Amino acid sequence: MRIAICPGSFDPVTMGHMDIIARASGLFDKVIVAVLCNKEKNPCFTVEERMELLRQATAEYDNVEIDSFQGLLVDYAREKGAVAVVKGLRAVSDFEYEFQMSMINKKLYPELETVYLNTSQEYMYLSSSVIKQISSFGGDISLFVPACVHDKIVDRLTNM
Ligand code: ADP
């Protein structure tokens, strides 16, 4: 069983995330989408809420599981028996940080590979923070978030 982890904040889930998750689901036997519990950030959605949005958005993928983790990604990956971490690359600007992280993770857990999937062109400008900005000014985000969780996301982002 080849297990991959898609880690991230997912605050909230976007079509850019969905694109990476769907493609990872086709490449691996099982994909664990792991929401990072990062106490330093000031999130719009709690970890539980983010997991619930992801659960609904990924319901059609039988081999995708939603979880959360704190601490080091390599420790979590080891615990889950994962062979890979899958990350999306939007632009060259994503690369430097991701490259550094993957080198460190390789030192800490050599069996774990980091797999990068290039963003699909239509989502290269998308991030959770862009969605929060558009929504806070009353803009339409229906093209950018999964349809089944659109209303829940808009409700929260426009009532903050
Ligand atoms: P963000 O808050 O910037 O959306 P996350 O930490 O939630 O970022 O992202 C989780 C993972 O999804 C990361 O690997 C990130 O590179 C990837 N990702 C996010 N948005 C996109 C996108 N539009 N295209 C490809 N990958 C993406």
Side-chain angles (χ1 to χ4, degrees):
M1 173 86 113
R2 303 187 77 74
I3 301 173
I5 296 175
C6 290
S9 307
F10 305 102
D11 185 41
V13 59
T14 71
M15 291 307 290
H17 296 137
M18 290 306 296
D19 177 48
I20 298 297
I21 294 167
R23 287 157 67 196
S25 140
L27 290 172
F28 292 91
D29 298 319
K30 177 169 152 185
V31 172
I32 304 175
V33 179
V35 178
L36 175 64
C37 306
N38 184 350
K39 294 196 182 83
E40 289 158 51
K41 284 193 183 169
N42 200 3
C44 292
F45 295 85
T46 66
V47 169
E48 271 312 316
E49 288 170 335
R50 284 179 257 164
M51 288 173 68
E52 188 48 38
L53 294 175
L54 280 162
R55 257 181 230 118
Q56 290 176 27
T58 60
E60 69 182 276
Y61 303 104
D62 290 341
N63 65 341
V64 173
E65 188 181 297
I66 311 301
D67 194 16
S68 64
F69 77 105
Q70 43 193 331
L72 286 179
L73 177 61
V74 284
D75 291 339
Y76 177 73
R78 201 180 266 122
E79 180 195 316
K80 293 289 175 185
V83 294
V85 172
V86 176
K87 307 255 17 199
L89 284 184
R90 273 161 291 195
V92 183
S93 51
D94 276 346
F95 181 76
E96 196 167 336
Y97 173 75
E98 295 296 347
F99 186 65
Q100 184 185 18
M101 287 303 295
S102 76
M103 298 300 260
I104 292 172
N105 287 344
K106 196 83 191 158
K107 284 270 179 242
L108 296 174
Y109 184 12
E111 294 86 353
L112 186 71
E113 295 293 349
T114 303
V115 174
Y116 297 109
L117 297 180
N118 285 341
T119 179
S120 296
Q121 236 175 0
E122 64 264 48
Y123 302 131
M124 64 182 296
Y125 54 85
L126 252 196
S127 68
S128 296
S129 39
V130 161
I131 282 170
K132 287 180 218 173
Q133 263 182 346
I134 298 173
S135 202
S136 71
F137 292 116
D140 180 8
I141 58 165
S142 51
L143 288 177
F144 309 139
V145 298
C148 64
V149 292
H150 171 269
D151 292 356
K152 281 184 187 147
I153 292 177
V154 171
D155 265 2
R156 171 63 50 85
L157 296 179
T158 50
N159 290 308
M160 285 193 59

